[in-house]
Amino acid sequence: MAQYFEIHPKNPQPRLIQQTLSILREGGVIAYPTDTSYALGCQIGDKAAMDTIRAIRRLDDNHNFTLICTDLSQVSTFTKMGNDAHRLIKKLTPGPFTFLLDATREVPRRLQHPKKKTIGVRIPDHAIARTLVEQLGEPLLTTTLIMPGETDALADPYDIRQRLEKELALVIDGGVIEHQPTTVIACGDKTIEIVRQGIGIAPMLEAV
């Protein structure tokens, strides 16, 4: 049965953050708020927890997982980030963007795209998500909490608890968050392009 923490979205309570970290380190899968939707999260090295996320969302092997990072330094540890990508990410974060980059050896192979060997990274503009990652000391493996057959993420934490209380270890209530998809930007060796336009606006990449 999932635990349920009401955490302040602007000033997260340190005691509840520490309890959340303990749940993550013990292999738990959590539902938590970001700046664009609720998401599922677990430790990056925990295969069983990742398999739980796959089962909840019925994901195939081609799904692009995302790492929630706290800053550019952490992004550079887990991805191969060229100078142009570095400048772009610095300019656009924190915010509603997902960047697809080549993964380094720090990223377990099972988390990488099987053909492209890429990983998504985010630096969200949300105090709960950022605080969790900062204090965890590593990125949080994450995916948007979209249930099978649906197009939008679950927005109400009470609904999340009712539907997933047996699968999750914890639901964090940070208020109702209506799903607004991130803008996805692929950062290749020679090209940087928007592959999905979401809520995030990147005028420097828009066609003239």
Side-chain angles (χ1 to χ4, degrees):
M1 301 292 282
Q3 296 191 64
Y4 193 87
F5 296 166
E6 293 183 6
I7 298 183
H8 195 284
K10 300 292 186 184
N11 299 292
Q13 302 93 313
R15 177 180 59 84
L16 294 179
I17 292 294
Q18 289 304 313
Q19 290 179 355
T20 300
L21 296 179
S22 295
I23 289 170
L24 286 167
R25 289 171 178 142
E26 291 169 2
V29 174
I30 69 170
Y32 71 101
T34 74
D35 50 351
T36 57
S37 69
Y38 273 88
L40 299 170
C42 70
Q43 283 197 294
I44 59 175
D46 195 321
K47 182 180 184 301
M50 185 194 75
D51 288 343
T52 297
I53 290 176
R54 282 191 184 279
I56 290 171
R57 287 206 49 195
R58 297 180 195 163
L59 299 172
D60 61 27
D61 290 339
N62 290 319
H63 179 74
N64 268 311
F65 279 102
T66 298
L67 300 181
I68 297 292
C69 296
T70 184
D71 54 27
L72 277 167
S73 175
Q74 201 169 63
V75 172
S76 67
T77 298
F78 292 86
T79 68
K80 301 170 185 176
M81 183 172 44
N83 290 334
D84 289 343
H86 184 280
R87 284 192 290 268
L88 180 70
I89 296 171
K90 184 176 182 179
K91 191 172 187 67
L92 295 177
T93 61
F97 295 89
T98 302
F99 302 93
L100 302 179
L101 294 149
D102 289 337
T104 66
R105 293 180 180 178
E106 298 296 320
V107 180
R109 183 163 294 184
R110 64 179 176 274
L111 307 187
Q112 302 174 25
H113 188 282
K115 295 179 180 177
K116 300 176 183 177
K117 306 305 179 189
T118 54
I119 188 73
V121 294
R122 283 205 64 204
I123 304 176
D125 188 15
H126 196 285
I128 293 174
R130 296 284 299 280
T131 302
L132 283 174
V133 174
E134 286 170 6
Q135 298 197 22
L136 187 62
E138 65 181 25
L140 196 62
L141 173 65
T142 197
T143 186
T144 306
L145 209 176
I146 300 174
M147 297 299 288
E150 300 181 13
T151 56
D152 290 328
L154 297 180
D156 190 326
Y158 287 98
D159 187 24
I160 295 171
R161 178 168 62 173
Q162 286 188 332
R163 295 181 66 172
L164 294 171
E165 64 178 355
K166 293 180 180 178
E167 291 88 350
L168 298 177
L170 169 66
V171 175
I172 292 177
D173 180 348
V176 173
I177 301 175
E178 297 297 337
H179 182 206
Q180 302 179 89
T182 62
T183 294
V184 180
I185 300 176
C187 301
D189 289 337
K190 298 179 181 178
T191 59
I192 296 178
E193 61 179 346
I194 296 173
V195 295
R196 183 186 75 191
Q197 182 63 58
I199 186 177
I201 303 299
M204 69 288 290
L205 296 180
E206 294 176 358
V208 177

